[in-house]
């Protein structure tokens, strides 16, 4: 049942829940959102159209889209008292630490009167999160730079608004390059959902207790932060900068193959894909488009990434282990080219994934038979025994 976990005798935990949102075929490298291939959605839709699709199961009509986008726009500002939360952090606090705190605080501002059993109230929570998370992400960046927070502008599109809040200042009329806006819009589509990954399963398990959606999404953000999951995009760029030159690639490939070395090639491998992650192909194309638009097609890090990918895909260890580049491999490079600081990469992933998390939460809460998740364990501790006499108090 949705949100229930069952352990199979092989002791590999299998999250067994039914969902109609996203389908992955790891062997064939297939990813469908509500039945539509990720390649077609990335090519023909906007991120907000995909948000509507994930939340409602169908692509919006023009009227539905106009109303959805207008409602999102009207919720992009955050309660002004939320800005006080930032002041408690050092300027160099990791943005994901601030995201966990501030998104969690939304529970205190927006949830009191809501009933999660009401579809209307759940929709309001979904809209607020999709609308406010970009504002909070941009605030995290501004806080770290000492620059003032930027307010959203209702005349701008969702991604234009975010890029202006992130990269503009009150002293300029910054408007992002339309080619870069389209690229970031596509990057958000590629991150929007991915079935029962660690953070989505975390959101479902938290939500199965009846916790409010803001707290559940916060649990997802915390889980996503890990380098094995959403923290990998930041780790990829740090790894490429450490490799530095194509002459060092073989050394790092050998480290990744060494069982006595904990180093793993960041951005490679996946729990499900044993073929090329379809998002990685689209991310590499987007990366190339952005670098070309910015006149950075000779970008050293991108060329290093292409060569590392070429060598790894020809290496028998990676072929045997079916290790291919995943969504995180190229995302760091393109985010870097867009002017997003490395420590903000995972927050960007969270911004894209918020709609997936809240769609899974909504699907689970809407199930009238849904019960609290209760994973079981394989007990490997001591058998039953009595306390030794020396520990018994007379
Ligand atoms: C995301 O689940 C999702 O859907 C996640 C995600 C999403 O959209 O939500 O797709 C986003 O999290 C993508 C993954 C980002 N993480 C990284 O890029 C970090 C580097 N990758 C790895 O740490 C690793 O590949 C994992 C964590 C992603 C998967 O780890 P597993 O489960 O151990 O991988 P596996 O079972 O397929 O590994 C098979 C073998 C193992 O060796 P053996 O035990 O068989 O000897 O390959 C090895 C692994 O040790 N291996 C690697 C490797 N990844 C796996 N060896 C070197 N470098 C790597 N990157």
């Amino acid at each position: 049942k949705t949100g229930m976990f069952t352990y199979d005798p092989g002791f590999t935990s299998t999250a067994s829940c039914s969902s109609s949102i996203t389908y992955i075929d790891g062997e064939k490298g297939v990813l469908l959102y509500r039945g539509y291939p990720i390649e077609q959605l990335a090519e023909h839709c906007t991120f907000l159209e995909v948000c509507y699709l994930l939340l409602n199961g169908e692509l919006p009509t023009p009227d539905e889209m106009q109303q959805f986008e207008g409602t999102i726009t009207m919720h992009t500002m955050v309660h002004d008292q939320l800005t006080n939360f930032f002041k408690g952090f050092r300027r160099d606090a990791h943005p994901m630490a601030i995201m966990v705190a501030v998104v969690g605080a939304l529970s205190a501002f927006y949830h009191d009167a809501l009933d999660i059993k009401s579809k209307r109230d759940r929709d309001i929570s979904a809209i607020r999160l999709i609308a406010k998370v970009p504002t909070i992400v941009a605030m995290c960046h501004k806080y770290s730079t000492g620059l003032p927070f930027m307010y959203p502008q209702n005349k701008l599109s969702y991604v234009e608004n975010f890029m202006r809040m992130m990269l503009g200042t009150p002293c300029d009329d910054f408007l992002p390059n339309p080619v870069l806006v389209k690229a970031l819009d596509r990057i958000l589509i590629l991150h929007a959902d991915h079935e029962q990954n660690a953070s989505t399963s975390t959101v479902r398990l938290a939500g199965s207790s009846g916790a409010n959606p803001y707290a559940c999404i916060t649990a997802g953000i915390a889980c996503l932060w890990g380098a094995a999951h959403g923290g990998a995009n930041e780790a990829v760029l740090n790894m490429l900068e450490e490799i530095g030159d194509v002459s060092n690639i073989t050394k790092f490939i050998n480290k990744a193959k060494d069982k006595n070395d904990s180093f793993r090639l960041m951005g490679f491998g996946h729990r499900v894909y044993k073929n090329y992650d379809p998002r990685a192909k689209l991310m590499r194309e987007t990366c190339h488009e952005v670098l070309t638009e910015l006149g950075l097609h000779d970008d050293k890090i991108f060329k290093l990434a292409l060569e590392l990918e070429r060598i790894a895909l020809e290496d028998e260890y990676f072929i045997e282990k079916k290790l291919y580049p995943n969504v995180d491999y190229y995302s760091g490079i393109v985010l870097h080219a867009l002017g997003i600081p490395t420590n903000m990469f995972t927050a960007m992933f969270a911004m894209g994934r918020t709609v997936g998390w809240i769609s899974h939460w909504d699907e689970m809460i809407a199930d009238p038979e849904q019960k609290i998740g209760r994973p079981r364990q394989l007990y490997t501790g001591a058998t039953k025994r009595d306390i030794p006499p020396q520990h018994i108090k007379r």
Side-chain angles (χ1 to χ4, degrees):
K1 271 285 167 216
T2 301
M4 296 298 287
F5 286 75
T6 53
Y7 273 81
D8 62 32
F11 311 124
T12 51
S13 70
T14 308
S16 62
C17 74
S18 56
S19 173
S20 60
I21 298 172
T22 291
Y23 173 76
I24 298 173
D25 181 328
E27 292 302 325
K28 297 186 183 119
V30 171
L31 170 58
L32 310 176
Y33 290 168
R34 300 287 191 179
Y36 294 109
I38 189 70
E39 295 83 358
Q40 293 183 27
L41 293 169
E43 176 69 27
H44 303 298
C45 296
T46 66
F47 174 62
L48 280 190
E49 284 175 317
V50 169
C51 287
Y52 187 98
L53 171 67
L54 290 169
L55 286 167
N56 300 292
E58 298 297 338
L59 285 166
T61 63
D63 288 347
E64 288 166 338
M65 189 58 210
Q66 187 180 13
Q67 186 186 353
F68 182 69
E69 188 155 18
T71 308
I72 293 275
T73 300
M74 286 302 130
H75 285 82
T76 47
M77 270 206 294
V78 294
H79 194 294
D80 217 40
Q81 278 186 256
L82 263 177
T83 58
N84 297 331
F85 277 86
F86 288 81
K87 293 179 185 123
F89 286 95
R90 290 178 12 181
R91 292 282 181 182
D92 63 353
H94 195 289
M96 289 299 278
I98 302 178
M99 284 282 288
V100 166
V102 176
V103 174
L106 294 178
S107 307
F109 288 85
Y110 299 111
H111 185 68
D112 294 350
L114 292 183
D115 169 14
I116 61 172
K117 286 301 179 192
S118 150
K119 173 64 177 162
R120 178 187 165 279
D121 284 6
R122 292 201 303 274
D123 287 350
I124 291 171
S125 307
I127 290 285
R128 281 194 170 124
L129 281 156
I130 294 167
K132 296 182 193 303
V133 166
T135 306
I136 294 169
V137 169
M139 291 170 81
C140 289
H141 173 55
K142 285 300 186 214
Y143 184 72
S144 72
T145 60
L147 289 170
F149 296 140
M150 296 286 285
Y151 284 95
Q153 290 200 347
N154 295 347
K155 64 176 188 268
L156 299 180
S157 73
Y158 187 82
V159 173
E160 281 174 336
N161 225 345
F162 168 72
M163 291 181 84
R164 182 182 161 277
M165 289 190 284
M166 183 80 183
L167 304 172
T169 74
C171 315
D172 60 36
D173 299 322
F174 173 84
L175 276 179
N177 173 329
V179 172
L180 306 187
V181 170
K182 174 108 181 79
L184 183 51
D185 193 278
R186 189 185 308 153
I187 290 168
L188 294 177
I189 291 173
L190 298 180
H191 286 87
D193 192 50
H194 211 237
E195 201 219 63
Q196 303 309 319
N197 57 85
S199 53
T200 300
S201 299
T202 300
V203 170
R204 278 184 175 260
L205 196 54
S208 72
S209 73
N212 77 70
Y214 305 100
C216 297
I217 298 307
T218 303
I221 292 171
C223 177
L224 184 75
W225 192 0
H229 190 12
N233 51 18
E234 180 176 352
V236 167
L237 207 70
N238 294 336
M239 175 189 73
L240 290 170
E241 283 166 354
E242 188 185 356
I243 294 173
D245 186 85
V246 291
S247 60
N248 297 326
I249 287 178
T250 304
K251 183 178 81 175
F252 280 82
I253 293 261
N254 291 335
K255 271 173 66 69
K257 290 155 62 173
D258 179 355
K259 279 299 154 207
N260 299 317
D261 191 324
S262 61
F263 173 77
R264 285 193 162 181
L265 217 50
M266 302 315 281
F268 269 79
H270 199 274
R271 291 299 275 131
V272 176
Y273 288 124
K274 301 310 170 190
N275 195 324
Y276 210 100
D277 181 338
R279 301 168 298 175
K281 280 180 194 153
L282 295 163
M283 195 66 80
R284 185 178 56 196
E285 290 163 13
T286 304
C287 197
H288 188 69
E289 284 168 23
V290 167
L291 294 172
T292 303
E293 174 69 15
L294 294 172
L296 299 172
H297 40 275
D298 277 336
D299 180 82
K300 185 177 179 214
I301 292 288
F302 182 58
K303 295 180 88 167
L304 180 60
L306 288 171
E307 183 61 5
L308 173 56
E309 176 187 18
R310 185 189 67 77
I311 295 173
L313 293 183
E314 290 171 1
D315 183 285
E316 59 187 37
Y317 173 90
F318 285 82
I319 293 168
E320 182 218 329
K321 304 280 185 189
K322 298 183 178 179
L323 301 177
Y324 295 88
N326 57 49
V327 67
D328 292 301
Y329 188 62
Y330 286 101
S331 65
I333 302 165
V334 62
L335 291 173
H336 177 70
L338 289 172
I340 309 288
T342 305
N343 70 352
M344 291 296 301
F345 288 0
T346 309
M348 297 294 293
F349 192 145
M351 190 166 99
R353 187 54 56 87
T354 292
V355 61
W357 288 331
I358 199 67
S359 298
H360 279 272
W361 172 80
D362 178 66
E363 178 184 63
M364 178 183 70
I365 300 296
D367 176 357
E369 294 175 37
Q370 178 263 325
K371 295 187 186 320
I372 187 170
R374 179 58 175 87
R376 293 310 308 274
Q377 65 174 19
L378 175 76
Y379 179 68
T380 58
T383 51
K384 186 180 173 195
R385 54 183 171 166
D386 295 324
I387 293 176
Q390 67 267 29
H391 286 277
I392 293 175
K393 307 286 182 289
R394 296 289 168 229

